[in-house]
Tab-separated table of all heavy atoms in Angstrom:
chain	number	residue	atom	x	y	z
G	164	ASN	N	-37.927	-126.062	1.758
G	164	ASN	CA	-39.309	-125.510	1.592
G	164	ASN	C	-40.263	-126.075	2.639
G	164	ASN	O	-40.192	-127.285	2.908
G	164	ASN	CB	-39.703	-125.929	0.149
G	164	ASN	CG	-41.039	-125.567	-0.167
G	164	ASN	OD1	-42.052	-126.182	0.105
G	164	ASN	ND2	-41.235	-124.344	-0.814
G	165	LYS	N	-41.088	-125.237	3.081
G	165	LYS	CA	-42.014	-125.607	4.232
G	165	LYS	C	-42.947	-126.731	3.767
G	165	LYS	O	-43.146	-127.739	4.500
G	165	LYS	CB	-42.808	-124.401	4.705
G	165	LYS	CG	-43.791	-124.750	5.826
G	165	LYS	CD	-44.542	-123.442	6.153
G	165	LYS	CE	-45.532	-123.696	7.350
G	165	LYS	NZ	-46.561	-124.664	6.994
G	166	ASP	N	-43.505	-126.626	2.535
G	166	ASP	CA	-44.388	-127.667	2.075
G	166	ASP	C	-43.694	-129.013	1.897
G	166	ASP	O	-44.267	-130.046	2.136
G	166	ASP	CB	-45.096	-127.271	0.802
G	166	ASP	CG	-46.018	-126.081	0.931
G	166	ASP	OD1	-46.521	-125.855	2.102
G	166	ASP	OD2	-46.360	-125.360	-0.036
G	167	PHE	N	-42.469	-128.904	1.396
G	167	PHE	CA	-41.695	-130.130	1.279
G	167	PHE	C	-41.482	-130.817	2.641
G	167	PHE	O	-41.587	-132.045	2.758
G	167	PHE	CB	-40.299	-129.806	0.591
G	167	PHE	CG	-39.349	-131.005	0.732
G	167	PHE	CD1	-39.390	-132.015	-0.098
G	167	PHE	CD2	-38.392	-130.976	1.749
G	167	PHE	CE1	-38.461	-133.071	-0.032
G	167	PHE	CE2	-37.509	-132.004	1.889
G	167	PHE	CZ	-37.551	-133.087	0.994
G	168	LEU	N	-41.119	-130.059	3.652
G	168	LEU	CA	-40.903	-130.607	4.950
G	168	LEU	C	-42.148	-131.290	5.487
G	168	LEU	O	-42.082	-132.393	6.070
G	168	LEU	CB	-40.459	-129.531	5.919
G	168	LEU	CG	-39.019	-129.012	5.742
G	168	LEU	CD1	-38.785	-127.895	6.706
G	168	LEU	CD2	-38.015	-130.121	5.994
G	169	ASP	N	-43.320	-130.667	5.252
G	169	ASP	CA	-44.579	-131.335	5.701
G	169	ASP	C	-44.802	-132.665	5.077
G	169	ASP	O	-45.220	-133.608	5.703
G	169	ASP	CB	-45.746	-130.371	5.393
G	169	ASP	CG	-45.797	-129.116	6.257
G	169	ASP	OD1	-45.174	-129.147	7.327
G	169	ASP	OD2	-46.361	-128.143	5.765
G	170	LYS	N	-44.432	-132.772	3.741
G	170	LYS	CA	-44.619	-134.046	3.055
G	170	LYS	C	-43.541	-135.095	3.493
G	170	LYS	O	-43.815	-136.251	3.688
G	170	LYS	CB	-44.516	-133.836	1.565
G	170	LYS	CG	-45.620	-132.943	1.030
G	170	LYS	CD	-45.473	-132.606	-0.492
G	170	LYS	CE	-46.514	-131.764	-1.043
G	170	LYS	NZ	-46.259	-131.341	-2.425
G	171	ALA	N	-42.338	-134.561	3.708
G	171	ALA	CA	-41.190	-135.464	4.043
G	171	ALA	C	-41.407	-136.072	5.411
G	171	ALA	O	-40.763	-137.182	5.725
G	171	ALA	CB	-39.880	-134.720	3.988
G	172	LYS	N	-42.170	-135.497	6.274
G	172	LYS	CA	-42.395	-135.986	7.607
G	172	LYS	C	-43.048	-137.434	7.563
G	172	LYS	O	-42.916	-138.197	8.436
G	172	LYS	CB	-43.240	-135.047	8.455
G	172	LYS	CG	-42.418	-133.780	8.866
G	172	LYS	CD	-43.350	-132.782	9.541
G	172	LYS	CE	-42.643	-131.490	9.833
G	172	LYS	NZ	-43.587	-130.471	10.414
G	173	THR	N	-43.855	-137.574	6.531
G	173	THR	CA	-44.523	-138.879	6.388
G	173	THR	C	-43.966	-139.757	5.267
G	173	THR	O	-44.285	-140.871	5.194
G	173	THR	CB	-46.107	-138.618	6.129
G	173	THR	OG1	-46.239	-137.745	5.007
G	173	THR	CG2	-46.664	-137.965	7.382
G	174	ASP	N	-43.208	-139.113	4.412
G	174	ASP	CA	-42.608	-139.800	3.240
G	174	ASP	C	-41.104	-139.653	3.173
G	174	ASP	O	-40.652	-138.636	2.614
G	174	ASP	CB	-43.250	-139.401	1.888
G	174	ASP	CG	-42.754	-140.220	0.724
G	174	ASP	OD1	-41.989	-141.171	0.934
G	174	ASP	OD2	-43.215	-139.929	-0.417
G	175	LYS	N	-40.321	-140.456	3.897
G	175	LYS	CA	-38.902	-140.265	4.036
G	175	LYS	C	-38.139	-140.424	2.652
G	175	LYS	O	-37.047	-139.979	2.530
G	175	LYS	CB	-38.331	-141.305	5.015
G	175	LYS	CG	-38.864	-141.078	6.438
G	175	LYS	CD	-38.369	-139.763	6.993
G	175	LYS	CE	-38.834	-139.525	8.408
G	175	LYS	NZ	-38.428	-138.191	8.959
G	176	SER	N	-38.829	-141.067	1.682
G	176	SER	CA	-38.172	-141.238	0.460
G	176	SER	C	-37.905	-139.935	-0.308
G	176	SER	O	-37.100	-139.853	-1.175
G	176	SER	CB	-39.020	-142.138	-0.454
G	176	SER	OG	-40.216	-141.502	-0.797
G	177	LEU	N	-38.632	-138.912	0.142
G	177	LEU	CA	-38.447	-137.551	-0.551
G	177	LEU	C	-37.027	-137.031	-0.216
G	177	LEU	O	-36.622	-136.088	-0.932
G	177	LEU	CB	-39.499	-136.586	-0.011
G	177	LEU	CG	-40.923	-136.951	-0.448
G	177	LEU	CD1	-41.895	-135.907	0.245
G	177	LEU	CD2	-41.077	-136.884	-1.940
G	178	TRP	N	-36.389	-137.508	0.771
G	178	TRP	CA	-35.045	-136.995	1.079
G	178	TRP	C	-34.041	-137.463	0.113
G	178	TRP	O	-32.895	-136.976	0.058
G	178	TRP	CB	-34.562	-137.454	2.522
G	178	TRP	CG	-35.350	-136.701	3.543
G	178	TRP	CD1	-36.300	-137.122	4.366
G	178	TRP	CD2	-35.187	-135.259	3.836
G	178	TRP	NE1	-36.772	-136.128	5.213
G	178	TRP	CE2	-36.104	-134.987	4.893
G	178	TRP	CE3	-34.369	-134.271	3.358
G	178	TRP	CZ2	-36.207	-133.709	5.424
G	178	TRP	CZ3	-34.474	-132.957	3.875
G	178	TRP	CH2	-35.329	-132.697	4.927
G	179	LYS	N	-34.376	-138.335	-0.850
G	179	LYS	CA	-33.458	-138.648	-1.970
G	179	LYS	C	-33.367	-137.545	-2.947
G	179	LYS	O	-32.371	-137.378	-3.729
G	179	LYS	CB	-34.011	-139.945	-2.709
G	179	LYS	CG	-33.986	-141.206	-1.896
G	179	LYS	CD	-32.622	-141.805	-1.954
G	179	LYS	CE	-32.578	-143.165	-1.287
G	179	LYS	NZ	-31.216	-143.730	-1.239
G	180	ASN	N	-34.407	-136.710	-2.955
G	180	ASN	CA	-34.387	-135.567	-3.854
G	180	ASN	C	-35.085	-134.337	-3.162
G	180	ASN	O	-36.168	-133.950	-3.495
G	180	ASN	CB	-35.097	-135.909	-5.164
G	180	ASN	CG	-34.960	-134.791	-6.224
G	180	ASN	OD1	-34.328	-133.732	-5.975
G	180	ASN	ND2	-35.564	-134.988	-7.394
G	181	PRO	N	-34.386	-133.748	-2.172
G	181	PRO	CA	-35.033	-132.724	-1.422
G	181	PRO	C	-35.233	-131.429	-2.174
G	181	PRO	O	-34.441	-131.076	-3.085
G	181	PRO	CB	-34.093	-132.493	-0.241
G	181	PRO	CG	-32.712	-132.925	-0.791
G	181	PRO	CD	-33.045	-134.078	-1.747
G	182	LEU	N	-36.243	-130.700	-1.782
G	182	LEU	CA	-36.482	-129.390	-2.436
G	182	LEU	C	-35.660	-128.334	-1.609
G	182	LEU	O	-36.125	-127.679	-0.749
G	182	LEU	CB	-37.972	-129.036	-2.374
G	182	LEU	CG	-38.363	-127.703	-3.091
G	182	LEU	CD1	-37.846	-127.751	-4.593
G	182	LEU	CD2	-39.861	-127.526	-3.112
G	183	GLY	N	-34.366	-128.357	-2.010
G	183	GLY	CA	-33.409	-127.402	-1.328
G	183	GLY	C	-33.252	-126.105	-2.096
G	183	GLY	O	-33.979	-125.808	-3.140
G	184	CYS	N	-32.260	-125.280	-1.692
G	184	CYS	CA	-32.009	-124.023	-2.353
G	184	CYS	C	-30.543	-123.809	-2.608
G	184	CYS	O	-30.058	-122.659	-2.674
G	184	CYS	CB	-32.612	-122.845	-1.430
G	184	CYS	SG	-32.123	-122.979	0.338
G	185	GLY	N	-29.850	-124.927	-2.792
G	185	GLY	CA	-28.396	-124.810	-3.080
G	185	GLY	C	-28.207	-124.693	-4.614
G	185	GLY	O	-29.145	-124.597	-5.417
G	186	GLY	N	-26.919	-124.723	-5.027
G	186	GLY	CA	-26.545	-124.564	-6.388
G	186	GLY	C	-26.832	-125.732	-7.270
G	186	GLY	O	-26.741	-125.688	-8.558
G	187	TYR	N	-27.111	-126.942	-6.656
G	187	TYR	CA	-27.399	-128.072	-7.462
G	187	TYR	C	-28.672	-128.748	-6.968
G	187	TYR	O	-29.079	-128.602	-5.865
G	187	TYR	CB	-26.202	-129.148	-7.223
G	187	TYR	CG	-24.969	-128.787	-7.959
G	187	TYR	CD1	-23.997	-127.877	-7.435
G	187	TYR	CD2	-24.675	-129.357	-9.250
G	187	TYR	CE1	-22.845	-127.560	-8.150
G	187	TYR	CE2	-23.501	-129.019	-9.964
G	187	TYR	CZ	-22.584	-128.151	-9.359
G	187	TYR	OH	-21.488	-127.851	-10.045
G	188	LYS	N	-29.211	-129.556	-7.869
G	188	LYS	CA	-30.384	-130.433	-7.491
G	188	LYS	C	-30.098	-131.817	-7.919
G	188	LYS	O	-29.328	-132.146	-8.814
G	188	LYS	CB	-31.649	-129.924	-8.143
G	188	LYS	CG	-31.624	-129.783	-9.728
G	188	LYS	CD	-32.925	-129.157	-10.166
G	188	LYS	CE	-32.877	-128.916	-11.621
G	188	LYS	NZ	-34.109	-128.257	-12.147
G	189	VAL	N	-30.676	-132.786	-7.178
G	189	VAL	CA	-30.510	-134.197	-7.455
G	189	VAL	C	-31.146	-134.638	-8.732
G	189	VAL	O	-32.383	-134.391	-8.909
G	189	VAL	CB	-30.971	-134.969	-6.253
G	189	VAL	CG1	-30.760	-136.540	-6.505
G	189	VAL	CG2	-30.264	-134.602	-4.961
G	190	ALA	N	-30.348	-135.284	-9.621
G	190	ALA	CA	-30.879	-135.814	-10.849
G	190	ALA	C	-31.159	-137.312	-10.721
G	190	ALA	O	-32.151	-137.843	-11.329
G	190	ALA	CB	-29.993	-135.518	-12.085
G	191	ASP	N	-30.310	-138.023	-9.947
G	191	ASP	CA	-30.396	-139.454	-9.776
G	191	ASP	C	-29.683	-139.827	-8.447
G	191	ASP	O	-28.661	-139.316	-8.173
G	191	ASP	CB	-29.784	-140.149	-11.003
G	191	ASP	CG	-30.181	-141.680	-11.035
G	191	ASP	OD1	-30.981	-142.103	-10.171
G	191	ASP	OD2	-29.791	-142.322	-11.983
G	192	PHE	N	-30.314	-140.741	-7.750
G	192	PHE	CA	-29.814	-141.093	-6.415
G	192	PHE	C	-30.027	-142.646	-6.299
G	192	PHE	O	-31.198	-143.021	-6.133
G	192	PHE	CB	-30.544	-140.311	-5.382
G	192	PHE	CG	-29.864	-140.475	-4.025
G	192	PHE	CD1	-29.812	-139.309	-3.163
G	192	PHE	CD2	-29.323	-141.596	-3.459
G	192	PHE	CE1	-29.300	-139.345	-1.878
G	192	PHE	CE2	-28.766	-141.698	-2.245
G	192	PHE	CZ	-28.711	-140.529	-1.480
G	193	ASN	N	-29.026	-143.464	-6.318
G	193	ASN	CA	-29.151	-144.872	-6.179
G	193	ASN	C	-28.013	-145.456	-5.391
G	193	ASN	O	-27.198	-144.671	-4.814
G	193	ASN	CB	-29.324	-145.625	-7.526
G	193	ASN	CG	-28.122	-145.404	-8.426
G	193	ASN	OD1	-27.005	-145.558	-8.066
G	193	ASN	ND2	-28.462	-144.986	-9.685
Side-chain angles (χ1 to χ4, degrees):
N164 177 273
K165 181 179 182 297
D166 291 338
F167 166 81
L168 287 174
D169 290 338
K170 295 174 184 176
K172 288 173 186 176
T173 56
D174 185 0
K175 295 298 183 183
S176 67
L177 293 177
W178 286 110
K179 291 283 187 178
N180 189 359
L182 186 54
C184 46
Y187 284 85
K188 54 185 177 181
V189 178
D191 196 359
F192 192 142
N193 58 50

